């Protein structure tokens, strides 16, 4: 009969080895007592990179950043009780953003539940519908059947997390004391012969040829079409969708997270300033379309969403490899569960000659060029307002770097000021649930995979995850964080609430009057404050050689920021109105 320590050791070692054989390369651990056996064995496995983060909420977002940047599932471990509850924000983001996470919560054994034991809550199905799969694991046992069970559970967890649409899974591990395994060198002596090592595979979803042909036939008589691309993960998509657009003669309205605005794919059919010119109401009527092909998540731009919903009578095709129902505006006429790249290639092969020179497409390209030039006039601003600061930071990013962008105003400024670029800049954001929590941690997780990485974030978002900075210190990570400090929630100044002057600042503006130099000192980060282009140049130059986190803080004015943005949009509207005047422009 196996001893309790042997049961604990072999059961958990085989689970961890099963994760590794299924493709898990990294794990994030928050220190705790009940998770001791799993933590020690994760640290012992030679093929797992272990990261430490004390704060469980930040740890979960850090793991999400790892998985987002690598495309591989990351494991996440905590002790029992409310530690596990702190994972929920990141779990919901992972579910909505389709990021594979293996969430492992340690628990008291069954006899201590509902008995007043400390650090004990009901952890079964703790995350409800926010995970793809849940398993309450058996107590550790070294019988061969149990070792088979635990290795299969590891493979199943990875398979479920990766299977399209990807997402988080949750395994709850009850452990009895004593909690110390015989971990030293255990993986050198682990006997795996006769135990399962499951190969995991998944095919590409494709539509039947006859359905593709039917779609091609229906598009042949429709010259006024658009292609809308949001964030997606299909390999080879950028090239495939550009080839399809050129054949159809349709413009591609490319969200910054689509991967189409930077890197190796360049084409005039890629439209990058639509958020600015689609604020022009007459233009939205004149540019009415007959069909839209939509790939990936919904774009950031509200103006684009309103434009699409305005033409509900058109054919609206949503193509999604995950088979999700991505139609928040309720206008879809076709829901096609197919790999995005394969769909584009198959549809292209069924079309005749290219419509690349169509007058419809030329009109979109002209409008885009006009709007882009107007938006680039931000360069002429003498003051380093928020829009100009964002634009100037983008200009200074090195080729091959990654940029993580915060929610609220930063992601919208990315949409406004990141134009199609020959540099290869990887753009990342948490746009699943669109929250401001965990952004520092997600960016640090991504920085561990794709350095050098820059994070642009607002002051409230930065405050919300200051704890995340500890991960840089504990795991020896480099990151440059540009904080746009407008002393509050800048995005609310663009919303109807801004007219409610009596309570606006208290309830929405929420000025916190924070000086982040103190946060930098607390977490051992380098710190710079910028007020003009010279100081920005010096700070960005330091970023190229900085070790550890560098925080660059810029003080901006919320009210002035709104004025500058609206003046730019008005300039775009005037100039595109002049360009499109006359009945023949959109024919």
């Amino acid at each position: 009969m196996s001893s309790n320590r042997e049961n604990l050791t072999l059961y958990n070692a085989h689970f961890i080895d099963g994760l590794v054989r299924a493709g898990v390369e990294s794990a994030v651990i928050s220190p705790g007592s009940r998770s001791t056996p799993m933590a020690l064995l994760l640290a012992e496995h030679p093929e797992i990179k272990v990261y430490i983060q004390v704060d469980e909420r930040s740890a979960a977002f850090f793991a999400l950043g790892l998985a987002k940047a690598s495309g591989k599932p990351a494991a996440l471990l905590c002790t029992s009780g409310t530690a596990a509850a702190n994972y929920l924000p990141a779990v919901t983001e992972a579910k909505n953003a389709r990021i594979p996470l293996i969430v492992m919560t340690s628990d008291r054994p069954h006899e201590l539940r509902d008995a007043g034991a400390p650090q004990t809550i009901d952890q079964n199905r703790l995350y409800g519908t926010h995970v793809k799969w849940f398993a309450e694991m058996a107590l550790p046992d070294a019988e061969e059947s149990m070792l088979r069970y635990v290795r299969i559970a590891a493979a199943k967890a990875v398979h479920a997390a990766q299977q399209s649409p990807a997402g988080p899974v949750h395994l709850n591990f009850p452990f009895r004391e004593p909690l110390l395994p015989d971990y030293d060198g255990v993986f050198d002596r682990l006997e795996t012969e006769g135990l399962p090592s499951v190969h995991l595979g998944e095919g590409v979803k494709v539509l039947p040829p006859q359905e593709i042909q039917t779609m091609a036939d229906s598009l042949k008589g429709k010259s006024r079409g658009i292609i809308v691309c949001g964030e997606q993960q299909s390999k080879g998509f950028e090239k495939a969708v550009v080839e399809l657009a050129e054949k159809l003669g349709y413009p591609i309205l490319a969200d910054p997270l689509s991967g189409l605005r930077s890197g190796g794919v360049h084409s005039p059919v890629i439209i990058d300033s639509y958020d600015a010119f689609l604020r022009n109401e007459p233009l939205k009527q004149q540019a009415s379309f007959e069909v839209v092909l939509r790939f990936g998540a919904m774009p950031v731009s509200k103006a684009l969403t309103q434009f699409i919903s305005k033409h509900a009578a058109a054919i609206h095709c949503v193509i999604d490899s995950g088979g999700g129902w991505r139609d928040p505006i309720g206008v879809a006429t076709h829901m096609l569960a197919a790999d995005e790249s394969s769909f584009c290639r198959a549809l292209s092969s069924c079309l005749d000659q290219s419509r690349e020179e169509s007058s419809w497409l030329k009109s979109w390209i002209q409008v885009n060029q006009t709007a882009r030039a107007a938006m680039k006039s931000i360069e002429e601003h003498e003051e380093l307002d928020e829009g100009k600061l964002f634009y100037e930071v983008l200009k200074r990013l090195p080729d091959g770097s990654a940029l993580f962008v915060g929610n609220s105003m930063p992601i919208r400024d990315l949409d406004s000021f990141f134009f199609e670029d020959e540099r290869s800049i990887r753009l990342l954001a948490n746009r699943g649930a669109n929250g401001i929590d965990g952004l520092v941690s997600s960016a640090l997780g991504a920085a561990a995979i794709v350095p050098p990485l820059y994070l642009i974030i607002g002051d409230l978002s930065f405050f919300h995850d200051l704890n995340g900075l500890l991960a840089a210190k504990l795991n020896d990570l480099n990151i440059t964080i540009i904080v746009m400090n407008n002393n509050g929630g800048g995005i609310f100044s663009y919303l109807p609430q801004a007219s409610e002057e009596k309570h606006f600042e208290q309830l929405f503006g929420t000025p916190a009057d924070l000086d982040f130099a103190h946060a930098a000192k607390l977490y051992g980060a380098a710190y710079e404050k910028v007020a003009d282009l010279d100081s920005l140049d010096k700070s960005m130059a330091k970023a190229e050689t900085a070790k550890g986190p560098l925080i660059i803080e810029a003080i901006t004015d919320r009210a002035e920021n709104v004025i500058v943005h609206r003046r730019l949009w008005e300039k775009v509207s005037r100039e595109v109105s002049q360009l499109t005047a006359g009945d023949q422009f959109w024919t």
Side-chain angles (χ1 to χ4, degrees), residues 386-404:
E386 208 158 298
K388 178 160 175 90
L389 177 64
F390 204 102
Y391 179 74
E392 295 294 343
V393 169
L394 291 174
K395 282 172 56 178
R396 287 161 174 75
L397 294 176
D399 190 14
S401 62
L403 174 64
F404 206 108

Side-chain angles (χ1 to χ4, degrees), residues 326-346:
R326 285 175 154 174
D327 183 34
I329 52 179
V331 293
T333 59
H334 295 66
M335 280 289 180
L336 307 178
D339 175 70
E340 294 84 353
S341 301
S342 299
F343 175 87
C344 290
R345 289 191 290 267

Side-chain angles (χ1 to χ4, degrees), residues 497-556:
Q497 295 94 312
S499 63
E500 303 300 319
E501 295 183 12
K502 182 178 180 181
H503 298 294
F504 178 76
E505 281 298 291
Q506 178 190 10
L507 298 178
F508 304 104
T510 56
D513 297 311
L514 297 174
D515 181 348
F516 291 110
H518 302 297
K521 188 174 182 180
L522 176 64
Y523 289 101
Y527 175 82
E528 297 281 324
K529 182 171 280 190
V530 301
D532 50 37
L533 287 182
D534 285 341
S535 56
L536 178 63
D537 280 331
K538 291 174 183 176
S539 297
M540 293 295 283
K542 286 184 179 180
E544 295 186 23
T545 57
K547 299 297 181 183
L550 167 63
I551 298 169
I552 301 173
E553 183 178 9
I555 306 300
T556 62

